[in-house]
Amino acid sequence: MKKVTALLTAAILLLNLSACQGKDETKDTAGAETTQAVMETVTYFHGDDTAERILSETAEISQCTPQALMDLLSDKGVLPEKVTVRSCQTEDDVLTLDLSREFAQAAQSLGTAGEYVLMGSVVNTFLTAFEADSMYILVEGKVLSTGHDVYDYPLNFYYE
């Protein structure tokens, strides 16, 4: 009986995994199969117009990957330039995100309030998407230093 339960559980898991591949098979009115992309809803964070508060909104992306989240933040105007994700790892609910130098340039170009909103937007977006407790942000494999702060400590969710 335990083998049957284990096999059924494995089969259900495989079906669920194959269902999360970003495609949805449907039949059109003529009975032919069509493939439609399944979009994922994610929560992203951004500053208000006065850079005093961090707000949240939802958006649809094709796949929730670290680069897709950075592209979303760029498309929504949170990041002034395209930022490349070099790596993203999670260990014990701590996320380590290594970004390209464009991220450091963006953070260094802002004042204190703008930097706070930028960092909070990225941190909150990634902690929410990957359900992590805290995270480190590196740039080109090194600790991010902006002139306002040296981010050599774990970053937690930013609140107002």
Side-chain angles (χ1 to χ4, degrees):
M1 183 66 175
K2 288 183 180 181
K3 286 185 180 182
V4 172
T5 303
L7 287 173
L8 285 173
T9 302
I12 291 169
L13 179 61
L14 287 173
L15 287 172
N16 282 335
L17 288 174
S18 66
C20 294
Q21 297 301 313
K23 297 193 184 275
D24 182 25
E25 300 291 330
T26 59
K27 295 206 181 234
D28 64 13
T29 56
E33 285 190 10
T34 59
T35 302
Q36 297 175 343
V38 175
M39 301 298 282
E40 293 185 48
T41 302
V42 295
T43 301
Y44 73 96
F45 294 80
H46 62 90
D48 66 2
D49 292 339
T50 60
E52 294 177 354
R53 296 180 53 208
I54 297 174
L55 308 173
S56 67
E57 288 189 47
T58 59
E60 302 261 325
I61 57 176
S62 61
Q63 189 176 21
C64 187
T65 64
Q67 188 60 55
L69 289 174
M70 292 308 283
D71 292 344
L72 173 66
L73 291 173
S74 180
D75 292 344
K76 297 297 183 178
V78 175
L79 297 172
E81 299 179 32
K82 292 283 186 182
V83 174
T84 304
V85 176
R86 297 182 69 227
S87 68
C88 184
Q89 301 170 357
T90 305
E91 185 175 325
D92 298 327
D93 291 327
V94 177
L95 186 73
T96 301
L97 184 63
D98 188 5
L99 302 172
S100 61
R101 74 177 141 268
E102 289 84 7
F103 183 77
Q105 292 167 345
Q108 292 165 348
S109 72
L110 299 170
T112 305
E115 181 178 320
Y116 181 87
V117 168
L118 173 72
M119 294 299 292
S121 298
V122 171
V123 169
N124 291 1
T125 298
F126 275 80
L127 290 180
T128 301
F130 293 106
E131 298 178 351
D133 293 332
S134 62
M135 70 183 289
Y136 290 93
I137 295 181
L138 305 175
V139 173
E140 303 287 331
K142 297 178 181 154
V143 171
L144 172 62
S145 178
T146 63
H148 296 112
D149 202 349
V150 177
Y151 294 94
D152 58 353
Y153 52 91
L155 301 167
N156 298 307
F157 200 85
Y158 281 60
Y159 295 96
E160 293 181 50

